[in-house]
Amino acid sequence: MQSGWSRENVPPNWAEPVCGEWFGSARPLQYPLLFERPVSWFVSGGRGAGKTRLGAEWVNGLVHGFSPFTEPRRKYGHIALVGETLGDVREVMVEGVSGILAISRRGRPCLQTGRRRLVWDNGAVAQFFSSEDPESLRGPQFDAAWCDEAAKWKNAEACFDMLQFGLRLGERPRQLVTSTPKPTPLIKRLMADPDFVKTRMRTADNAANLARGFLKAVRSRYGGTRLGRQELDGELIEDREDALWSRDMIEEVQTARPAELRRIVVAVDPPASSLKTSDACGIVAAGLDRDGTAIVLADATIRAARPQEWANAAVGLFHRLEADCLVVEINQGGDMVGAVIATVDPEVPVKPVRARRGKWLRAEPVAALYEQRKVRHAARFPELEDEMCDFGPNGLSNGRSPDRVDALVWAITELLPKSAARPRIRDFG
């Protein structure tokens, strides 16, 4: 889809109202589904990603009948604006810099403060509601609703449920939810709801409309962190209750890379097959500092269709870090694993290791080392961290193999063999 609008790329009966409106400069993600016209739309986004502007323009388009998410020329006249508080509705959704009043280029609505609503000349009305008072949504009825920052609503599920009962006017009532995502019950519910179209926008996507230097500053401070991924990239970041690692634990073990390391190893967890659908090859490097702390240095995990590809990646990382050896699990490939690595570089020392216990039992003592601050991370490794915080007794929640965690466990076990030798629970297998 093209990012801009003109008389040549919009339906003929929309040309007059659309040209010259916001659609001429909107980013594709802000209106990505021209002909699907979703009835329920959830937009998660980073701070400053353009969510409020999108919501305000969405309401403006519904009222005037030229939104590309509705049937051409169809106008919506009974709209609910729902925020955390009534103050948020007025100060952000209505009167904010990107609010409805600011973006209304023609047919600007009248704000009736006492009645907590906006009124347009064509008779359309948008009423204000707060998540603090779900009961206020009993009685009114609507043909559209914009819910903003639902992740911080106070009575989120009760408020949202009351709204659903009120969306009963017209042939196709519509709703838009915009929010920076947090793992609240309502947000997780919307993310799992197949009836909602989901769109994720990053703060960086809207760099042209942000203060100079803002993005560089926040990226430098929060890039790759849990907070940054949530607040800048619009990702839903959550912990699994029975996981061995937590986000808070990982945040606490961040450190700078030491100037000197006594040892460096690269651990490899090869996939069981060479198919395109095979598991990834876990490749993680770690070093040992002067104080005996293991420092995770790199995650070079690769999804490779051929053994030669992951062998090249592992040997390449070995040389870049000037490592001591490659620690390679041989449960699946046996002698073949070492032979493949030898075709890339026969001089690389390979230490084969064989798993004799389950993944959970091997990983548990390594997680204990994190709790004791005997393992630290010299950089942010988002994909590895996601896997660590999703690794429970039955593996990953998506059913895939924890390849990055396996490689991490082998690396730390090689560097701290005595500490990582025994699980904290007895292995009856």
Side-chain angles (χ1 to χ4, degrees):
M1 177 179 172
Q2 300 183 38
S3 60
W5 291 74
S6 68
R7 295 178 186 275
E8 288 73 33
N9 63 12
V10 297
N13 54 352
W14 286 356
E16 287 301 326
V18 167
C19 292
E21 294 293 340
W22 180 60
F23 309 118
S25 58
R27 304 194 314 273
L29 277 180
Q30 290 172 308
Y31 279 93
L33 302 172
L34 176 58
F35 298 109
E36 290 191 25
R37 302 171 193 158
V39 171
S40 299
W41 190 20
F42 176 46
V43 177
S44 64
R47 304 280 286 276
K51 304 184 300 298
T52 304
R53 178 67 184 272
L54 185 157
E57 295 284 0
W58 183 83
V59 170
N60 191 49
L62 296 186
V63 167
H64 294 293
F66 53 74
S67 170
F69 281 92
T70 69
E71 295 72 16
R73 301 290 188 175
R74 181 191 176 108
K75 298 181 180 180
Y76 286 68
H78 302 274
I79 301 170
L81 303 178
V82 190
E84 180 188 9
T85 66
L86 289 173
D88 289 323
V89 175
R90 177 172 173 176
E91 294 171 17
V92 178
M93 302 171 72
V94 175
E95 295 185 305
V97 174
S98 300
I100 295 171
L101 294 179
I103 60 90
S104 296
R105 290 162 291 277
R106 56 187 176 119
R108 195 169 189 266
C110 173
L111 172 60
Q112 296 182 350
T113 305
R115 301 188 65 179
R116 299 184 301 194
R117 67 179 191 172
L118 289 174
V119 179
W120 282 264
D121 288 343
N122 64 5
V125 176
Q127 296 175 259
F128 305 174
F129 297 93
S130 163
S131 69
E132 297 174 318
D133 185 13
E135 292 298 305
S136 65
L137 285 160
R138 287 186 181 272
Q141 51 188 342
F142 318 100
D143 51 16
W146 171 25
C147 305
D148 190 45
E149 293 298 349
K152 62 175 189 166
W153 284 6
K154 290 181 171 60
N155 303 293
E157 292 190 279
C159 185
F160 185 78
D161 289 338
M162 287 299 100
L163 175 63
Q164 303 312 296
F165 288 113
L167 282 169
R168 58 180 184 261
L169 291 182
E171 296 179 6
R172 292 173 65 82
R174 299 178 181 278
Q175 58 185 325
L176 168 66
V177 180
T178 54
S179 185
T180 299
K182 293 182 180 180
T184 64
L186 176 59
I187 296 301
K188 290 192 285 188
R189 172 178 158 188
L190 297 181
M191 292 293 287
D193 191 337
D195 291 333
F196 268 81
V197 172
K198 288 91 176 176
T199 298
R200 180 162 68 94
M201 304 191 305
R202 297 173 173 82
T203 302
D205 298 337
N206 199 37
N209 297 309
L210 302 175
R212 182 180 300 178
F214 165 77
L215 197 58
K216 181 179 179 181
V218 294
R219 276 295 182 198
S220 174
R221 182 172 300 174
Y222 303 109
T225 67
R226 176 185 186 179
L227 186 63
R229 294 175 63 190
Q230 174 180 283
E231 301 293 326
L232 298 177
D233 296 332
E235 292 187 43
L236 181 62
I237 307 295
E238 58 180 318
D239 282 338
R240 178 174 166 177
E241 290 184 2
D242 59 352
L244 280 176
W245 288 271
S246 70
R247 303 281 176 182
D248 289 340
M249 183 192 300
I250 293 175
E251 293 290 339
E252 292 171 1
V253 299
Q254 299 300 313
T255 189
R257 175 173 174 167
E260 296 183 16
L261 292 168
R262 291 159 48 190
R263 288 196 65 196
I264 297 177
V265 300
V266 175
V268 183
D269 177 49
S273 67
S274 301
L275 302 176
K276 290 184 178 180
T277 55
S278 299
D279 296 322
C281 176
I283 304 174
V284 172
L288 193 66
D289 71 9
R290 288 182 174 182
D291 299 323
T293 300
I295 310 294
V296 180
L297 303 173
D299 173 18
T301 298
I302 182 175
R303 188 167 297 280
R306 297 184 298 112
Q308 194 78 16
E309 294 174 342
W310 61 253
N312 276 322
V315 171
L317 182 61
F318 172 89
H319 286 302
R320 286 197 301 276
L321 296 179
E322 298 180 346
D324 304 305
C325 72
L326 285 181
V327 179
V328 184
E329 182 181 317
I330 60 171
N331 284 56
Q332 302 294 341
D335 294 338
M336 180 275 292
V337 174
V340 171
I341 294 172
T343 64
V344 178
D345 187 343
E347 301 300 321
V348 171
V350 175
K351 179 177 180 178
V353 290
R354 186 179 295 276
R356 302 186 185 280
R357 295 176 297 179
K359 297 177 185 295
W360 171 269
L361 291 179
R362 284 186 281 118
E364 198 202 20
V366 173
L369 294 175
Y370 274 80
E371 293 176 354
Q372 298 163 12
R373 302 297 183 267
K374 293 181 180 179
V375 183
R376 294 188 174 274
H377 288 197
R380 301 308 306 226
F381 309 109
E383 292 173 305
L384 172 60
E385 293 169 15
D386 285 349
E387 213 172 85
M388 294 167 69
C389 296
D390 186 41
F391 182 63
N394 298 315
L396 300 180
S397 58
N398 61 12
R400 298 194 69 89
S401 175
D403 310 293
R404 299 173 195 272
V405 167
D406 275 349
L408 170 72
V409 168
W410 286 123
I412 302 306
T413 302
E414 172 65 20
L415 293 173
L416 302 171
K418 294 182 180 180
S419 300
R422 295 178 179 271
R424 287 179 292 171
I425 58 176
R426 185 179 172 188
D427 182 0
F428 293 99

